[in-house]
Amino acid sequence: MLEQLLIHQPKDPIPFMIDHLQRDNDYVPKIVILGPPASGKTTIAMWLAKHLSTNLLSVESLIAKEYSPLAADARMHYQKFKMVPDMLLIRLMQERLKEEDCVRRTLFSYGLSQSTEQSSLCDTGWILDGIPETREQALTIQTLGISPRHVIVLSAPDTILIERNLGKRIDPQTGEIYHTTFDWPPESEIQNRLMVPAGIFEGETARKLLEYHRNIVRILPSYPKILKVISADQPCVDVFYQALTYVQTSHRSNAPFTPRVLLCGPVGSGKSLQAALLAQKYGLINVCCGQLLKEAVADKSKYSDLIQPFFEKEIAVPDNIIMKVLKQRLDQQDCVERGWVLHGFPRDLDQAHLMDNLGYKPNRVFFLNVPFDSVIERLSLRRTDPITGERYHLMYKPPPTIEVQTRLLQNPKDSEEQIKLKMDLFYRNSAELEQFYGDAITLNGDQDPYTVFEYIESGIINRLPKKVP
């Protein structure tokens, strides 16, 4: 097939390959998403394309291209045989990937007038939805120099997939897809006009699954180091966040490195718990900035007299004093040898610059995003028993008896007003911090803490900086 493909090329394929690989130096998303019928791969691909501002390419979008003789030929084949020949599909894909928005960053301008016009770089690149379909396609694509950076394979039991597929319904007016179990429209007008899509019955679904399984086991060996399998048997949003976390990471080199992890997030986002989990599993030193200051005062260290007045007045300790205490801890041998996970500092751009100028550069940065309502639920319902010192949560860990409940006290810092002030302060500064740490990974912190930990762990294990300090 490759020989046939090269015969039909309008130009020598070698310059195309060289050009494509040279342009590969400019980072743009280059992603392949594969999965069986009803695994949700198209939905995940669409969400990723929207989030990353990149091009989504599928068989349907390639053959729908206007003013392309190749696309017109492919449409004829598809209408007649419900498939596109491999040679034709790859020629279509190669034609599309030559276009500028697929191979490098695009410079676009915006503004109300020439005097106010500004320019910005926009990552484009591509996501292949369901391509390659066979090992032959995968090998031909690689031979032409078209190499993805990340390959995601969605997986779920066939029984689940068949159930999902049989429940699909389509709105003939809008083209929207619904499901009898998972996504049924509330409007009776829409319900009444929904139709079963063509080819949706158990025997046809089983046939497509068998064909997929036969092909996927031969495709996977083509992508041994850039492949991630994600379970599709979970909420779609969880699948999306795992996929997003993966495609935002670079692949690990063999160079040794010492993890220096920075966790950023508003109060109540779970930074302390994630730091403790990382310290426990990987032996990193858990460095909580607020705790360091308290220990410095309690231990009567050389900085105790500098910090104590600010504690007594309940005002913020100046950055230069914080940095002295932090520097003393990060310079200790255990932090140098084993690495560290830092949280509670920096909180704004000035503090980040201060850390950076002194040579304390994290090589992993994670932002934990949690909605205001969830933080309120986590913190405002915390209580402490003044007699035993035991901590409770009125929802997640309620007191055992009414007697205990009546004597529980709330820390003034856990009031809704105080929480809102702290969250507002964080989000006022977070945009600048995210821009400063350009390779930071943003995570949804509003989920099971061990799920969040898996995402963070993936970012540490599978990703290294471009240059290892």
Side-chain angles (χ1 to χ4, degrees):
M1 184 182 71
L2 178 60
E3 289 78 5
Q4 292 177 299
L5 181 61
L6 298 184
I7 290 172
H8 287 84
Q9 291 302 307
K11 296 181 180 180
D12 185 349
I14 301 303
F16 171 84
M17 186 191 309
I18 294 173
D19 181 55
H20 197 90
L21 292 175
Q22 285 176 338
R23 293 179 179 193
D24 193 64
N25 292 329
D26 294 329
Y27 178 75
V28 293
K30 296 183 179 181
I31 302 163
V32 166
I33 298 185
L34 304 174
S39 61
K41 66 179 183 300
T42 298
T43 299
I44 300 303
M46 290 172 60
W47 288 2
L48 286 175
K50 183 176 181 179
H51 187 88
L52 301 172
S53 301
T54 194
N55 298 291
L56 178 57
L57 309 182
S58 63
V59 173
E60 291 77 13
S61 69
L62 289 171
I63 67 176
K65 187 178 179 182
E66 297 181 351
Y67 312 114
S68 167
L70 283 176
D73 194 13
R75 283 195 296 273
M76 290 178 57
H77 277 276
Y78 192 79
Q79 290 167 2
K80 189 173 182 179
F81 304 107
K82 297 301 179 186
M83 54 85 66
V84 179
D86 286 355
M87 182 183 72
L88 190 53
L89 177 62
I90 293 175
R91 288 175 63 194
L92 265 176
M93 188 170 64
Q94 190 175 8
E95 179 183 74
R96 179 67 180 91
L97 294 181
K98 284 181 181 179
E99 296 177 17
E100 194 69 17
D101 62 333
C102 279
V103 290
R104 66 171 58 192
R105 288 184 168 190
T106 300
L107 185 67
F108 66 94
S109 300
Y110 61 97
L112 299 176
S113 65
Q114 289 184 348
S115 60
T116 61
E117 188 171 302
Q118 300 183 40
S119 296
S120 177
L121 278 171
C122 175
D123 285 329
T124 50
W126 45 264
I127 297 176
L128 297 182
D129 174 14
I131 305 173
E133 299 173 323
T134 64
R135 177 168 174 77
E136 289 72 24
Q137 288 183 7
L139 294 177
T140 305
I141 289 170
Q142 288 179 327
T143 305
L144 290 172
I146 302 171
S147 301
R149 285 193 173 93
H150 302 87
V151 176
I152 295 171
V153 177
L154 302 184
S155 175
D158 285 358
T159 52
I160 299 294
L161 298 172
I162 290 174
E163 179 187 356
R164 285 186 186 178
N165 216 31
L166 294 178
K168 281 184 180 178
R169 298 294 183 269
I170 187 168
D171 185 339
Q173 291 187 13
T174 65
E176 287 286 328
I177 300 293
Y178 296 92
H179 195 279
T180 54
T181 303
F182 308 113
D183 186 23
W184 192 243
E187 301 87 352
S188 58
E189 180 183 352
I190 298 178
Q191 294 175 10
N192 294 333
R193 67 173 182 248
L194 294 184
M195 301 175 61
V196 179
I200 300 295
F201 53 92
E202 189 167 350
E204 179 64 14
T205 302
R207 185 193 66 78
K208 290 180 179 178
L209 285 170
L210 182 63
E211 182 181 1
Y212 169 80
H213 291 310
R214 187 185 301 123
N215 285 318
I216 194 67
V217 293
R218 301 180 65 234
I219 293 174
L220 298 187
S222 300
Y223 305 108
K225 295 184 180 180
I226 57 172
L227 176 70
K228 182 174 181 64
V229 178
I230 297 176
S231 170
D233 187 17
Q234 56 181 320
C236 202
V237 67
D238 290 344
V239 178
F240 168 70
Y241 275 111
Q242 290 180 45
L244 180 62
T245 300
Y246 179 60
V247 301
Q248 287 180 329
T249 63
S250 300
H251 296 294
R252 183 174 185 176
S253 74
N254 292 324
F257 79 110
T258 301
R260 298 188 294 276
V261 181
L262 173 61
L263 300 179
C264 299
V267 57
S269 60
K271 302 185 296 295
S272 298
L273 174 57
Q274 297 303 324
L277 293 173
L278 286 172
Q280 179 183 29
K281 183 162 185 177
Y282 292 101
L284 308 182
I285 304 304
N286 186 350
V287 182
C288 173
C289 192
Q291 189 63 30
L292 277 183
L293 297 176
K294 293 175 183 177
E295 290 173 357
V297 172
D299 296 343
K300 304 294 183 183
S301 72
K302 61 181 179 180
Y303 301 115
S304 175
D305 292 340
L306 294 175
I307 300 170
Q308 185 66 38
F310 297 99
F311 276 13
E312 292 174 351
K313 297 176 183 177
E314 296 186 347
I315 57 177
V317 178
D319 292 351
N320 64 324
I321 297 177
I322 295 176
M323 201 60 230
K324 288 178 181 178
V325 177
L326 186 59
K327 180 180 186 302
Q328 177 180 265
R329 184 66 187 94
L330 296 182
D331 284 344
Q332 291 181 22
Q333 194 67 23
D334 56 353
C335 281
V336 175
E337 290 182 353
R338 293 161 53 187
W340 41 262
V341 51
L342 172 64
H343 50 111
F345 190 93
R347 296 177 183 267
D348 56 42
L349 187 60
D350 290 339
Q351 293 179 349
H353 278 297
L354 184 59
M355 256 187 71
D356 191 75
N357 291 337
L358 290 175
Y360 301 102
K361 303 175 188 289
N363 51 26
R364 300 291 187 282
V365 181
F366 299 91
F367 282 83
L368 306 182
N369 281 343
V370 180
F372 175 72
D373 291 344
S374 296
V375 172
I376 290 295
E377 181 181 286
R378 290 181 182 186
L379 300 187
S380 66
L381 300 181
R382 296 194 299 194
R383 298 293 187 271
T384 303
D385 186 334
I387 296 178
T388 65
E390 184 72 21
R391 294 182 178 182
Y392 296 98
H393 191 282
L394 299 183
M395 181 177 293
Y396 303 126
K397 186 187 175 183
T401 64
I402 297 295
E403 180 185 358
V404 174
Q405 183 171 351
T406 55
R407 67 175 184 246
L408 295 182
L409 299 176
Q410 182 187 41
N411 189 319
K413 293 181 180 180
D414 288 342
S415 68
E416 187 168 332
E417 295 76 14
Q418 288 296 315
I419 295 169
K420 188 176 188 306
L421 285 174
K422 291 178 181 178
M423 287 198 69
D424 288 344
L425 180 62
F426 171 79
Y427 282 114
R428 277 204 302 271
N429 296 313
S430 64
E432 290 183 331
L433 277 177
E434 288 188 43
Q435 187 175 5
F436 182 79
Y437 295 114
D439 61 347
I441 298 174
T442 300
L443 301 175
N444 173 21
D446 188 22
Q447 50 190 324
D448 179 82
Y450 291 97
T451 301
V452 177
F453 178 69
E454 287 178 2
Y455 296 153
I456 294 175
E457 187 177 30
S458 173
I460 293 175
I461 293 175
N462 295 326
R463 172 182 172 276
L464 275 180
K466 294 177 182 177
K467 294 181 180 179
V468 182

